[in-house]
mmCIF file of all heavy atoms in Angstrom:
data_model
loop_
_atom_site.group_PDB
_atom_site.id
_atom_site.type_symbol
_atom_site.label_atom_id
_atom_site.label_comp_id
_atom_site.label_asym_id
_atom_site.label_seq_id
_atom_site.Cartn_x
_atom_site.Cartn_y
_atom_site.Cartn_z
ATOM 1 N N ARG A 153 -39.806 56.646 8.305
ATOM 2 C CA ARG A 153 -38.837 57.017 7.291
ATOM 3 C C ARG A 153 -38.012 55.815 6.848
ATOM 4 O O ARG A 153 -37.789 54.890 7.607
ATOM 5 C CB ARG A 153 -37.917 58.042 7.936
ATOM 6 C CG ARG A 153 -36.970 58.740 7.046
ATOM 7 C CD ARG A 153 -36.060 59.661 7.849
ATOM 8 N NE ARG A 153 -36.763 60.752 8.491
ATOM 9 C CZ ARG A 153 -36.808 60.940 9.808
ATOM 10 N NH1 ARG A 153 -36.240 60.095 10.642
ATOM 11 N NH2 ARG A 153 -37.442 61.978 10.308
ATOM 12 N N ASN A 154 -37.542 55.853 5.603
ATOM 13 C CA ASN A 154 -36.561 54.880 5.137
ATOM 14 C C ASN A 154 -35.458 55.594 4.366
ATOM 15 O O ASN A 154 -35.700 56.598 3.700
ATOM 16 C CB ASN A 154 -37.195 53.838 4.220
ATOM 17 C CG ASN A 154 -36.217 52.718 3.910
ATOM 18 O OD1 ASN A 154 -35.927 51.889 4.770
ATOM 19 N ND2 ASN A 154 -35.665 52.711 2.705
ATOM 20 N N VAL A 155 -34.248 55.068 4.465
ATOM 21 C CA VAL A 155 -33.132 55.597 3.687
ATOM 22 C C VAL A 155 -32.443 54.428 2.992
ATOM 23 O O VAL A 155 -32.065 53.449 3.646
ATOM 24 C CB VAL A 155 -32.100 56.326 4.582
ATOM 25 C CG1 VAL A 155 -31.089 57.072 3.717
ATOM 26 C CG2 VAL A 155 -32.779 57.280 5.547
ATOM 27 N N GLY A 156 -32.309 54.501 1.680
ATOM 28 C CA GLY A 156 -31.638 53.431 0.929
ATOM 29 C C GLY A 156 -30.857 54.024 -0.223
ATOM 30 O O GLY A 156 -31.154 55.131 -0.693
ATOM 31 N N TYR A 158 -29.951 53.742 -4.053
ATOM 32 C CA TYR A 158 -30.416 53.175 -5.321
ATOM 33 C C TYR A 158 -29.858 54.039 -6.451
ATOM 34 O O TYR A 158 -29.952 55.267 -6.397
ATOM 35 C CB TYR A 158 -31.956 53.198 -5.387
ATOM 36 C CG TYR A 158 -32.662 52.832 -4.089
ATOM 37 C CD1 TYR A 158 -33.446 53.771 -3.406
ATOM 38 C CD2 TYR A 158 -32.546 51.559 -3.539
ATOM 39 C CE1 TYR A 158 -34.099 53.453 -2.220
ATOM 40 C CE2 TYR A 158 -33.193 51.228 -2.343
ATOM 41 C CZ TYR A 158 -33.966 52.175 -1.693
ATOM 42 O OH TYR A 158 -34.599 51.865 -0.514
ATOM 43 N N HIS A 177 -36.959 48.633 0.503
ATOM 44 C CA HIS A 177 -38.002 49.335 1.261
ATOM 45 C C HIS A 177 -38.529 50.554 0.508
ATOM 46 O O HIS A 177 -39.720 50.859 0.552
ATOM 47 C CB HIS A 177 -37.443 49.757 2.622
ATOM 48 C CG HIS A 177 -37.028 48.571 3.442
ATOM 49 N ND1 HIS A 177 -36.097 48.633 4.445
ATOM 50 C CD2 HIS A 177 -37.432 47.282 3.391
ATOM 51 C CE1 HIS A 177 -35.939 47.440 4.979
ATOM 52 N NE2 HIS A 177 -36.725 46.598 4.356
ATOM 53 N N GLY A 178 -37.626 51.256 -0.171
ATOM 54 C CA GLY A 178 -38.050 52.427 -0.937
ATOM 55 C C GLY A 178 -39.086 52.034 -1.983
ATOM 56 O O GLY A 178 -40.051 52.767 -2.238
ATOM 57 N N THR A 207 -25.544 53.296 6.817
ATOM 58 C CA THR A 207 -26.867 52.712 7.084
ATOM 59 C C THR A 207 -27.696 52.675 5.800
ATOM 60 O O THR A 207 -28.488 51.758 5.606
ATOM 61 C CB THR A 207 -27.628 53.497 8.174
ATOM 62 O OG1 THR A 207 -27.578 54.880 7.877
ATOM 63 C CG2 THR A 207 -27.037 53.251 9.540
ATOM 64 N N SER A 210 -27.036 49.452 3.998
ATOM 65 C CA SER A 210 -27.130 48.199 4.761
ATOM 66 C C SER A 210 -28.595 47.877 5.037
ATOM 67 O O SER A 210 -29.390 48.772 5.321
ATOM 68 C CB SER A 210 -26.366 48.327 6.076
ATOM 69 O OG SER A 210 -25.032 48.672 5.811
ATOM 70 N N ARG A 211 -28.913 46.609 4.932
ATOM 71 C CA ARG A 211 -30.311 46.219 5.076
ATOM 72 C C ARG A 211 -30.705 46.167 6.548
ATOM 73 O O ARG A 211 -30.090 45.485 7.347
ATOM 74 C CB ARG A 211 -30.506 44.848 4.426
ATOM 75 C CG ARG A 211 -31.951 44.504 4.203
ATOM 76 C CD ARG A 211 -32.087 43.491 3.091
ATOM 77 N NE ARG A 211 -31.849 44.114 1.787
ATOM 78 C CZ ARG A 211 -31.552 43.444 0.687
ATOM 79 N NH1 ARG A 211 -31.416 42.154 0.724
ATOM 80 N NH2 ARG A 211 -31.386 44.078 -0.451
ATOM 81 N N MET A 212 -31.760 46.877 6.891
ATOM 82 C CA MET A 212 -32.303 46.843 8.264
ATOM 83 C C MET A 212 -33.684 46.220 8.170
ATOM 84 O O MET A 212 -34.252 46.110 7.090
ATOM 85 C CB MET A 212 -32.496 48.239 8.836
ATOM 86 C CG MET A 212 -31.485 49.256 8.466
ATOM 87 S SD MET A 212 -30.277 49.415 9.715
ATOM 88 C CE MET A 212 -28.851 49.732 8.712
ATOM 89 N N ALA A 213 -34.255 45.913 9.327
ATOM 90 C CA ALA A 213 -35.640 45.443 9.347
ATOM 91 C C ALA A 213 -36.525 46.555 8.795
ATOM 92 O O ALA A 213 -36.234 47.740 8.990
ATOM 93 C CB ALA A 213 -36.048 45.106 10.773
ATOM 94 N N TYR A 214 -37.605 46.163 8.100
ATOM 95 C CA TYR A 214 -38.520 47.178 7.573
ATOM 96 C C TYR A 214 -39.135 47.945 8.745
ATOM 97 O O TYR A 214 -39.570 47.359 9.734
ATOM 98 C CB TYR A 214 -39.631 46.537 6.734
ATOM 99 C CG TYR A 214 -40.529 47.594 6.131
ATOM 100 C CD1 TYR A 214 -40.088 48.344 5.048
ATOM 101 C CD2 TYR A 214 -41.779 47.870 6.673
ATOM 102 C CE1 TYR A 214 -40.870 49.347 4.510
ATOM 103 C CE2 TYR A 214 -42.580 48.876 6.135
ATOM 104 C CZ TYR A 214 -42.109 49.610 5.047
ATOM 105 O OH TYR A 214 -42.894 50.611 4.533
ATOM 106 N N GLY A 215 -39.161 49.255 8.645
ATOM 107 C CA GLY A 215 -39.742 50.058 9.721
ATOM 108 C C GLY A 215 -38.692 50.592 10.685
ATOM 109 O O GLY A 215 -38.995 51.407 11.550
ATOM 110 N N LEU A 216 -37.456 50.138 10.526
ATOM 111 C CA LEU A 216 -36.380 50.689 11.354
ATOM 112 C C LEU A 216 -35.779 51.866 10.578
ATOM 113 O O LEU A 216 -35.285 51.713 9.469
ATOM 114 C CB LEU A 216 -35.325 49.603 11.606
ATOM 115 C CG LEU A 216 -34.156 49.926 12.519
ATOM 116 C CD1 LEU A 216 -34.626 50.457 13.870
ATOM 117 C CD2 LEU A 216 -33.301 48.667 12.734
ATOM 118 N N GLU A 218 -33.327 54.289 9.276
ATOM 119 C CA GLU A 218 -31.864 54.260 9.131
ATOM 120 C C GLU A 218 -31.213 55.454 9.819
ATOM 121 O O GLU A 218 -30.097 55.333 10.346
ATOM 122 C CB GLU A 218 -31.476 54.226 7.648
ATOM 123 C CG GLU A 218 -31.542 52.849 6.986
ATOM 124 C CD GLU A 218 -32.927 52.467 6.475
ATOM 125 O OE1 GLU A 218 -33.884 53.250 6.684
ATOM 126 O OE2 GLU A 218 -33.051 51.375 5.884
HETATM 127 MN MN1 MN B 2 -34.659 50.243 5.131
#
Side-chain angles (χ1 to χ4, degrees):
R153 189 184 295 118
N154 188 73
V155 190
Y158 319 115
H177 298 156
T207 49
S210 303
R211 195 156 286 161
M212 324 263 145
Y214 183 75
L216 184 53
E218 279 85 357

